[in-house]
Amino acid sequence: MQRPEAWPRPHPGEGAAAAQAGGPAPPVRAGEPAGLRLQEPSLYTIKAVFILDNDGHRLLAKYYDDTFPSLKEQMAFEKNVFNKTSRTDSEIAFFGGMTIVYKSSIDLFLYVVGSSNENELMLMSVLTCLFESLSHVLRKNVEKRWLLENMDGAFLVLDEIVDGGVILESDAQQVIQKVNFRVLQSAKEQIKWSLLK
């Protein structure tokens, strides 16, 4: 007989829904409440990434799910997160059922948001990659003025790290190479079109 720990995680259609439909449900572990189940692993790790200035105003933000569907809800969330994190020295916060990792640099606050059960190390690797990549793009001046002057580069960096909530890359050197390649391709296209005119 298999030990209970070796049973696979429930897949969509298993568990309570399957039990209602008459199908088998994985056994409940001893001492585990009947409704408690491990969540199915997902590639959709990141809920949001945003950068605020030292007054809590949005400079850059991307949301990858519908947790905060409207701009008003997003801004309220950002303000609450900023108020909770701006005066602390820690790097991780739990707020509103979400795990938030953050880092400050001169007059910027960088945030990466995941679900409450998300691995903090995964989120931290995204934050570190974002900071190191921006540091390279902004020539080691990770501050508001330089970010505003290089916003297109900042969005390129973010797009190479996260796409639709899925982590694509967590190595800053790889991100920088991909961003440089995209910039070079764009420059070639511009030259091509200027020669055709």
Side-chain angles (χ1 to χ4, degrees):
M1 171 142 179
Q2 245 181 346
R3 292 188 337 224
E5 297 84 30
W7 281 80
R9 292 182 177 176
H11 294 283
E14 292 183 357
Q20 289 174 354
V28 176
R29 293 182 189 178
E32 178 183 25
L36 181 62
R37 295 275 189 244
L38 294 174
Q39 287 191 345
E40 185 69 24
S42 173
L43 289 175
Y44 299 97
T45 305
I46 308 298
K47 288 184 163 293
V49 175
F50 53 90
I51 300 175
L52 308 178
D53 66 13
N54 58 355
D55 294 321
H57 298 119
R58 176 193 280 197
L59 301 175
L60 177 152
K62 279 206 162 186
Y63 285 77
Y64 300 105
D65 68 6
D66 58 356
T67 303
F68 302 101
S70 72
L71 180 62
K72 183 178 178 181
E73 290 172 304
Q74 292 173 6
M75 300 291 267
F77 173 68
E78 292 166 16
K79 182 178 180 179
N80 290 333
V81 168
F82 178 78
N83 289 337
K84 180 173 180 152
T85 60
S86 64
R87 295 176 191 88
T88 63
D89 292 331
S90 64
E91 299 175 329
I92 301 173
F94 299 97
F95 182 78
M98 284 172 264
T99 304
I100 303 165
V101 295
Y102 58 98
K103 179 180 187 68
S104 64
S105 172
I106 306 173
D107 56 355
L108 296 177
F109 286 85
L110 291 79
Y111 297 90
V112 175
V113 181
S115 67
S116 61
N117 60 352
E118 200 54 65
N119 184 329
E120 295 91 355
L121 295 176
M122 290 286 288
L123 299 177
M124 192 58 78
S125 70
V126 170
L127 180 63
T128 302
C129 182
L130 176 63
F131 181 80
E132 290 175 0
S133 301
L134 286 176
S135 181
H136 179 80
V137 168
L138 302 176
R139 294 174 179 81
K140 305 207 183 298
N141 297 310
V142 184
E143 56 186 288
K144 181 178 178 178
R145 187 182 114 204
W146 292 99
L147 179 69
L148 291 174
E149 290 179 7
N150 295 283
M151 195 61 77
D152 54 343
F155 274 106
L156 276 175
V157 163
L158 185 53
D159 288 344
E160 290 297 335
I161 298 171
V162 180
D163 181 29
V166 177
I167 301 171
L168 298 178
E169 188 62 66
S170 61
D171 179 4
Q173 290 302 320
Q174 292 294 319
V175 171
I176 292 162
Q177 285 179 358
K178 291 175 183 177
V179 167
N180 288 340
F181 179 76
R182 286 176 68 174
V183 168
L184 182 63
Q185 290 297 97
S186 178
K188 284 181 180 178
E189 287 294 317
Q190 288 177 352
I191 291 170
K192 178 182 168 184
W193 285 108
S194 66
L195 292 174
L196 290 174
K197 287 183 179 178

